[in-house]
Each structure stands twice: as C-alpha cells, then as structure tokens.
C-alpha cells in the first residue's frame, strides 16, 4: 500500500447512529469522490449467513461460508456497490436479522482480514470517502483526512428510532438504546480492530449539530487542504 493511494482518503469512523453514514455519503457527493460504506460489507456477509442458516457465533462455519462466497465490486454514481453470489443484497442489509447479528460477524478476525483487503483495494478506483469503525486505524492508517464522529447515546437512539419509524413503521427509543449499547459493547471490546478513535483523527460530537454543519466542516477542511497542496 503506497502513500499515494492514501493521499485522498477521507476516513470517517464512529459508532452506529453517530450520523456517520449520512455525513459520509453527503461529503463524498460534495467532494465529487467515491463513497464506500464498509459496514455494508460486514452486513453483506451476515445476510449470506442468515440466508444459509449459519450460526454467526460459529466462527469456523462463517469462515467456511466466506470461502465459498463470490463478491463482485463496481461503482455506480460514485458509490461503491457489490454483489454477493451474483445478487444485489442492498435491500436486505438493514433488516432486523442482519442488524442483530452483524456485530458477531465483525468480531471474527478472518472476516476482518478479508474485508480490510477488499477495502484497501477500493482506493485503486480513485479518491474516496470511506466510513466504518477501523478505517483511520487499520484500513488506511496513513489517510490524509481522519474523522471520528460521535454523539450522546440518547441522541443516537433518538436518531436511529426515527430512522426505523420511517423505514419499518415503528421504532422505540428505549429498545434502540439497549440494542445500540449491546452492539457498542461488542464493537469496542472485540480483540481485533475494536472501535476506537484513530491516531490523528479529529473528533466531532454531532449532538446538537445538523448534518449540513458536519458535512460543511469536513468538506471545507478537505477543500482547503486540496487548494494548498498537491492532493487532487
Ligand atoms: O456501520 P454499520 O452499522 O453498517 O456497521 C455494521 C457492523 O459492522 C457494526 O457492528 C460494526 C461493524 N463494522 C466493523 O466492525 N468495521 C467496519 N469498518 C464497519 C463496520
């Protein structure tokens, strides 16, 4: 991995419902660079496990399943997309069975090695904004731009509940709060690449900020650097 491929990587990490996804997508659109949602890949693997009836806490079974999975990556409207065994999994990635199991898939070191390799390869497509949990710490430790987005737990639960009400017709803040706490615990205490603030990352607490404010902060910083350096 050369520094060249990392010269225009904007790494955005943080816990779920920190505002990361919306901010990353919008920042990429404004910067006119590719957007990569790394969590979607962990969710994709989880979707396959659920579909095949594989127990996600059985690492050996998951690793065996992963070895027989065909991934194809492509870019559509500056967004990295993929198929799994020829199927587009997008509509299933946010479903309840996937949501509740994905953190278990993401603790398996072999799964992480596979995903990190694929994620690094995406930089060959060109400049990008990538969001996740370990982008600035593991995937692109030399990324030129690193952000860590966070928000108070109650605010994150409120946002996620609103999202669920829109997509699934119901979302209870208390229930979401405990589900997020459970996932945060798995994500931040796992042995391989736990959720952490990457070295050199700028921390933004998005509680009380609008999406536009966070996006503008990131885009203006990146553009200012671009204007004064050879980053293009
Ligand atoms: O960002 P998300 O909610 O789509 O992430 C889904 C799960 O995948 C979550 O449990 C954390 C995990 N994940 C990870 O471990 N590393 C990443 N780079 C991205 C996601």
């Amino acid at each position: 991995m050369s520094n060249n491929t990392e010269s225009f990587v904007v790494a955005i990490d943080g816990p779920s419902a920190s505002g990361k996804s919306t901010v990353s997508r919008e920042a990429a659109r404004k910067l006119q660079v590719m957007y990569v949602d790394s969590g979607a890949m962990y969710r994709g693997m989880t979707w396959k496990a659920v579909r095949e009836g594989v127990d996600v806490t059985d690492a050996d079974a998951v690793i065996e399943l992963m070895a027989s999975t065909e991934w194809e990556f492509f870019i559509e409207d500056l967004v990295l997309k993929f198929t799994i065994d020829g199927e587009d999994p997008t509509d299933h990635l946010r479903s309840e069975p996937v949501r509740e199991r994905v953190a278990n898939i993401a603790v398996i070191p072999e799964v992480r090695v596979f995903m990190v390799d694929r994620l690094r390869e995406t930089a060959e497509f060109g400049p990008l904004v990538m969001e996740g949990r370990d982008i600035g710490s593991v995937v692109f430790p030399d990324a030129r731009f690193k952000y860590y987005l966070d928000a108070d737990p109650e605010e994150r639960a409120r946002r996620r509940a609103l999202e669920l009400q829109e997509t699934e017709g119901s979302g209870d803040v208390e229930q979401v709060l405990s589900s997020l706490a459970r996932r945060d615990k798995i994500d931040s205490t796992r042995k391989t690449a736990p959720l952490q603030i990457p070295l050199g990352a700028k921390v933004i607490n998005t509680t009380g900020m609008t999406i536009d404010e966070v996006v503008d902060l990131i885009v203006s910083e990146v553009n200012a650097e671009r204007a004064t350096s050879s980053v293009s």
Side-chain angles (χ1 to χ4, degrees):
M1 198 177 22
S2 74
N3 275 337
N4 227 6
T5 57
E6 297 192 33
S7 66
F8 197 117
V9 169
V10 182
I12 304 185
D13 291 298
S16 33
S18 55
K20 199 168 39 105
S21 294
T22 318
V23 165
S24 304
R25 189 180 285 272
E26 188 56 17
R29 198 186 61 77
K30 285 203 167 158
L31 292 165
Q32 279 296 293
V33 301
M34 179 171 65
Y35 163 69
V36 181
D37 171 7
S38 67
M41 288 167 55
Y42 291 91
R43 287 171 183 267
M45 194 58 232
T46 310
W47 169 66
K48 169 131 182 183
V50 168
R51 215 164 62 142
E52 303 286 322
V54 168
D55 176 1
V56 295
T57 63
D58 181 347
D60 289 340
V62 172
I63 293 162
E64 200 183 317
L65 185 72
M66 193 171 71
S68 67
T69 306
E70 284 291 322
W71 296 75
E72 255 185 68
F73 296 90
F74 57 100
I75 304 167
E76 204 176 86
D77 297 332
L78 278 180
V79 175
L80 184 88
K81 296 263 179 96
F82 57 86
T83 57
I84 295 180
D85 301 327
E87 271 189 67
D88 178 355
T90 310
D91 289 347
H92 310 282
L93 299 183
R94 309 234 149 235
S95 67
E96 201 263 348
V98 170
R99 196 163 65 224
E100 291 306 319
R101 289 171 180 78
V102 63
N104 297 97
I105 288 273
V107 299
I108 303 172
E110 289 82 352
V111 171
R112 302 204 68 83
V113 168
F114 174 85
M115 298 301 173
V116 168
D117 284 349
R118 300 291 81 71
L119 291 167
R120 284 184 180 149
E121 284 164 11
T122 64
E124 287 161 20
F125 288 122
L128 56 90
V129 173
M130 185 180 290
E131 61 147 307
R133 303 290 193 291
D134 60 344
I135 310 308
S137 55
V138 176
V139 181
F140 294 117
D142 295 330
R144 181 72 165 266
F145 307 96
K146 292 186 192 182
Y147 296 94
Y148 184 90
L149 265 50
D150 207 349
D152 299 346
E154 293 73 20
E155 171 67 11
R156 290 169 52 214
R158 199 187 57 78
R159 287 179 190 164
R160 182 49 53 88
L162 266 178
E163 222 175 82
L164 289 173
Q165 279 158 20
E166 274 165 29
T167 54
E168 294 178 13
S170 69
D172 175 66
V173 179
E174 285 306 312
Q175 218 173 331
V176 173
L177 193 63
S178 72
S179 164
L180 284 180
R182 189 185 70 82
R183 274 176 43 187
D184 280 357
K185 183 150 187 260
I186 301 178
D187 289 341
S188 52
T189 57
R190 68 177 175 228
K191 285 207 182 72
T192 313
L195 172 67
Q196 58 177 308
I197 300 173
L199 208 65
K202 178 172 205 162
V203 179
I204 306 175
N205 187 323
T206 66
T207 313
M209 288 178 84
T210 66
I211 294 288
D212 283 347
E213 283 169 340
V214 185
V215 171
D216 286 349
L217 197 143
I218 294 173
V219 169
S220 59
E221 280 189 0
V222 173
N223 278 338
E225 274 269 331
R226 260 167 145 181
T228 58
S229 72
S230 56
V231 177
S232 58

